[in-house]
Amino acid sequence: MPITGRMLVCCALLSGMAALGFSNLGVKELTVSAKSGDSVSGREIYVNTCIRCHGIDGKGGLGIKLVPPPADLTSLAVQSRLDGTLFRRIHGGKPNTAMGAWKHALSDEEIWDVLSYVRTLGVESGGQP
Ligand code: HEC
Protein backbone atom coordinates (compact mmCIF):
# COMPACT_ATOMS: atom_id res chain seq x y z
CA MET A 1 0.00 0.00 0.00
CA PRO A 2 1.50 3.37 -0.96
CA ILE A 3 1.89 5.81 1.91
CA THR A 4 -0.10 8.90 1.03
CA GLY A 5 0.51 12.40 2.27
CA ARG A 6 -2.81 12.26 4.05
CA MET A 7 -1.74 9.19 6.03
CA LEU A 8 1.46 10.89 7.11
CA VAL A 9 -0.41 13.96 8.28
CA CYS A 10 -2.78 11.69 10.16
CA CYS A 11 0.12 9.87 11.85
CA ALA A 12 1.76 13.13 12.79
CA LEU A 13 -1.47 14.36 14.34
CA LEU A 14 -2.01 11.18 16.34
CA SER A 15 1.54 11.13 17.65
CA GLY A 16 1.29 14.79 18.51
CA MET A 17 -1.85 14.13 20.52
CA ALA A 18 -0.22 11.22 22.30
CA ALA A 19 2.79 13.35 23.14
CA LEU A 20 0.57 16.07 24.55
CA GLY A 21 -1.41 13.66 26.71
CA PHE A 22 1.85 12.26 27.87
CA SER A 23 3.41 15.50 29.02
CA ASN A 24 0.21 16.40 30.85
CA LEU A 25 0.88 13.45 33.10
CA GLY A 26 4.14 15.00 34.19
CA VAL A 27 6.43 12.63 32.38
CA LYS A 28 9.53 14.55 31.41
CA GLU A 29 12.07 14.27 28.64
CA LEU A 30 9.78 13.20 25.84
CA THR A 31 12.28 13.54 23.05
CA VAL A 32 11.32 10.76 20.66
CA SER A 33 7.87 9.67 19.53
CA ALA A 34 6.56 6.43 18.06
CA LYS A 35 6.34 8.32 14.78
CA SER A 36 10.11 8.43 14.66
CA GLY A 37 10.53 5.05 16.34
CA ASP A 38 12.50 2.64 14.19
CA SER A 39 10.49 -0.54 13.72
CA VAL A 40 13.49 -2.36 12.27
CA SER A 41 15.60 -2.00 15.39
CA GLY A 42 12.36 -2.41 17.35
CA ARG A 43 12.00 -5.84 15.80
CA GLU A 44 15.45 -6.81 17.12
CA ILE A 45 14.43 -5.75 20.61
CA TYR A 46 11.10 -7.55 20.31
CA VAL A 47 12.76 -10.80 19.24
CA ASN A 48 15.28 -10.58 22.07
CA THR A 49 13.04 -9.51 24.91
CA CYS A 50 9.32 -9.80 24.23
CA ILE A 51 8.90 -12.86 22.04
CA ARG A 52 9.08 -15.43 24.82
CA CYS A 53 5.84 -14.16 26.27
CA HIS A 54 4.09 -12.42 23.37
CA GLY A 55 5.10 -14.84 20.60
CA ILE A 56 6.49 -14.19 17.15
CA ASP A 57 3.19 -12.83 15.84
CA GLY A 58 2.26 -10.98 19.04
CA LYS A 59 -0.66 -13.28 19.75
CA GLY A 60 0.81 -15.14 22.69
CA GLY A 61 3.71 -17.10 24.05
CA LEU A 62 5.35 -20.31 23.07
CA GLY A 63 3.38 -22.62 25.33
CA ILE A 64 3.98 -20.36 28.29
CA LYS A 65 1.26 -20.34 30.94
CA LEU A 66 0.81 -17.08 32.78
CA VAL A 67 -2.07 -15.63 34.78
CA PRO A 68 -3.17 -13.29 33.34
CA PRO A 69 -1.87 -14.42 29.95
CA PRO A 70 0.31 -12.06 27.88
CA ALA A 71 -1.76 -9.49 26.02
CA ASP A 72 -2.54 -10.23 22.37
CA LEU A 73 -0.57 -7.39 20.82
CA THR A 74 -2.50 -7.69 17.54
CA SER A 75 -5.84 -7.14 19.28
CA LEU A 76 -7.93 -4.04 18.97
CA ALA A 77 -7.83 -3.70 22.76
CA VAL A 78 -4.09 -3.08 22.60
CA GLN A 79 -3.84 -1.41 19.19
CA SER A 80 -6.54 1.13 19.99
CA ARG A 81 -4.55 2.53 22.92
CA LEU A 82 -2.61 5.74 22.46
CA ASP A 83 1.13 5.57 21.93
CA GLY A 84 1.65 7.26 25.29
CA THR A 85 -0.39 4.59 27.09
CA LEU A 86 1.49 1.71 25.50
CA PHE A 87 4.79 3.48 26.13
CA ARG A 88 3.99 3.70 29.83
CA ARG A 89 2.97 0.01 29.94
CA ILE A 90 6.27 -1.07 28.43
CA HIS A 91 8.26 1.51 30.40
CA GLY A 92 6.72 0.89 33.81
CA GLY A 93 5.14 -2.54 33.38
CA LYS A 94 1.72 -3.59 34.59
CA PRO A 95 1.32 -4.29 38.31
CA ASN A 96 0.37 -7.84 39.34
CA THR A 97 1.08 -9.30 35.91
CA ALA A 98 4.13 -10.85 34.30
CA MET A 99 4.53 -7.68 32.24
CA GLY A 100 7.58 -6.15 33.87
CA ALA A 101 9.02 -2.65 33.69
CA TRP A 102 11.47 -2.42 30.83
CA LYS A 103 12.79 1.00 31.76
CA HIS A 104 15.87 -0.55 33.36
CA ALA A 105 16.71 -2.70 30.33
CA LEU A 106 15.68 -0.38 27.50
CA SER A 107 16.21 3.31 26.83
CA ASP A 108 13.22 5.52 26.02
CA GLU A 109 14.31 5.47 22.41
CA GLU A 110 14.43 1.68 22.37
CA ILE A 111 10.95 1.55 23.88
CA TRP A 112 9.63 3.81 21.09
CA ASP A 113 11.36 1.53 18.58
CA VAL A 114 9.80 -1.62 19.98
CA LEU A 115 6.45 0.15 20.19
CA SER A 116 6.60 1.09 16.54
CA TYR A 117 7.27 -2.61 15.82
CA VAL A 118 4.29 -3.59 17.99
CA ARG A 119 2.19 -1.25 15.81
CA THR A 120 3.18 -3.23 12.70
CA LEU A 121 1.79 -6.41 14.31
CA GLY A 122 -1.64 -4.82 14.39
CA VAL A 123 -1.42 -3.65 10.77
CA GLU A 124 -0.37 -7.07 9.51
CA SER A 125 -3.28 -8.83 11.19
CA GLY A 126 -5.74 -6.24 9.95
CA GLY A 127 -6.37 -5.15 13.53
CA GLN A 128 -8.70 -8.00 14.45
CA PRO A 129 -10.42 -7.65 17.81
C1 HEC B 1 7.44 -12.39 31.24
C2 HEC B 1 6.45 -12.26 30.18
C3 HEC B 1 6.39 -10.95 29.39
C4 HEC B 1 7.43 -10.34 28.70
C5 HEC B 1 8.88 -10.80 28.57
C6 HEC B 1 6.84 -9.17 28.07
N1 HEC B 1 5.51 -9.07 28.38
FE1 HEC B 1 4.21 -7.66 27.69
N2 HEC B 1 2.71 -8.46 28.79
C7 HEC B 1 2.83 -9.62 29.56
C8 HEC B 1 1.56 -9.88 30.19
C9 HEC B 1 1.24 -11.06 31.12
C10 HEC B 1 0.68 -8.85 29.77
C11 HEC B 1 -0.81 -8.72 30.05
C12 HEC B 1 -1.16 -8.01 31.28
C13 HEC B 1 -2.65 -7.88 31.32
O1 HEC B 1 -3.35 -8.83 31.56
O2 HEC B 1 -3.12 -6.80 31.06
C14 HEC B 1 1.45 -7.99 28.89
C15 HEC B 1 0.94 -6.84 28.28
C16 HEC B 1 1.61 -6.10 27.34
C17 HEC B 1 1.06 -4.98 26.61
C18 HEC B 1 -0.36 -4.47 26.70
C19 HEC B 1 -0.51 -3.52 27.84
C20 HEC B 1 -1.94 -3.04 27.91
O3 HEC B 1 -2.19 -1.98 27.35
O4 HEC B 1 -2.78 -3.72 28.46
C21 HEC B 1 2.03 -4.51 25.78
C22 HEC B 1 1.93 -3.37 24.79
C23 HEC B 1 3.20 -5.33 26.01
N3 HEC B 1 2.91 -6.27 26.95
C24 HEC B 1 4.38 -5.15 25.34
C25 HEC B 1 5.55 -5.85 25.64
C26 HEC B 1 6.83 -5.56 25.03
C27 HEC B 1 7.06 -4.50 23.97
C28 HEC B 1 7.72 -6.42 25.59
C29 HEC B 1 9.22 -6.50 25.33
C30 HEC B 1 9.97 -5.29 25.63
C31 HEC B 1 6.99 -7.26 26.54
N4 HEC B 1 5.68 -6.88 26.53
C32 HEC B 1 7.55 -8.28 27.28
C33 HEC B 1 3.95 -10.40 29.71
C34 HEC B 1 5.21 -10.14 29.18
Side-chain angles (χ1 to χ4, degrees):
M1 185 170 64
I3 296 177
T4 64
R6 180 178 290 193
M7 281 171 68
L8 287 176
V9 169
C10 184
C11 279
L13 271 178
L14 279 175
S15 313
M17 277 158 55
L20 277 178
F22 204 55
S23 50
N24 284 345
L25 286 156
V27 182
K28 286 161 233 123
E29 293 175 45
L30 185 70
T31 47
V32 199
S33 75
K35 179 173 55 122
S36 60
D38 177 355
S39 60
V40 175
S41 74
R43 184 175 184 281
E44 289 287 305
I45 298 165
Y46 184 88
V47 167
N48 288 327
T49 46
C50 322
I51 215 166
R52 67 179 188 269
C53 289
H54 289 286
I56 190 148
D57 56 2
K59 287 179 192 266
L62 315 156
I64 196 169
K65 286 270 180 290
L66 293 168
V67 182
D72 178 351
L73 300 180
T74 68
S75 69
L76 199 60
V78 169
Q79 291 294 334
S80 63
R81 295 193 205 284
L82 292 173
D83 286 343
T85 307
L86 293 180
F87 180 93
R88 283 197 305 277
R89 284 286 152 74
I90 301 167
H91 188 264
K94 204 168 169 192
N96 305 315
T97 75
M99 180 63 190
W102 292 96
K103 62 184 170 195
H104 306 295
L106 302 174
S107 70
D108 284 5
E109 194 176 341
E110 286 170 328
I111 294 175
W112 284 123
D113 288 351
V114 78
L115 177 52
S116 81
Y117 179 69
V118 165
R119 287 298 190 201
T120 69
L121 297 172
V123 171
E124 269 165 21
S125 75
Q128 297 298 309

